[in-house]
Amino acid sequence: RAEPGRGQPVRRAAGGVAGPDEAVQIAERFVDDLSRRIVLDDGVAVAVGASVGVAMAEPDDEADQLIARADRALRSAKEAGRGTVVVAG
């Protein structure tokens, strides 16, 4: 399985999310967890950051519509700066 390259979006469909508020809570925890500094075995400290775009599927959505909304939300999150979660409107 190929891993995303630097700056490439990672897409994940999450089933069983109650709604946008829960999706945002999950995304914020993800961003917080990623932003914690870690120390590697050689003593080097590293930090990773992320921006997250959230899009909720609507009943009549085609996959490409949902992905397009998620991409727009992610683009907005990136423009707002690292550590940002944006929900598609």
Side-chain angles (χ1 to χ4, degrees), residues 48-76:
V48 177
S51 299
V52 176
V54 174
M56 302 298 293
E58 300 295 331
D60 295 332
D61 272 350
E62 296 290 329
D64 60 337
Q65 293 170 308
L66 177 60
I67 290 170
R69 283 200 317 279
D71 283 344
R72 285 192 298 273
L74 178 58
R75 196 172 314 118
S76 294

Side-chain angles (χ1 to χ4, degrees), residues 1-53:
R1 180 174 155 185
E3 293 192 19
R6 180 179 177 177
Q8 295 298 308
V10 176
R11 293 182 178 99
R12 179 175 186 266
V17 176
D21 291 340
E22 184 179 359
V24 168
Q25 290 174 354
I26 292 168
E28 287 174 343
R29 279 195 311 261
F30 175 74
V31 168
D32 288 344
D33 288 346
L34 272 180
S35 68
R36 291 195 179 117
R37 192 180 75 146
I38 61 170
V39 179
L40 303 176
D41 289 340
D42 62 0
V44 175
V46 296
V48 177
S51 299
V52 176

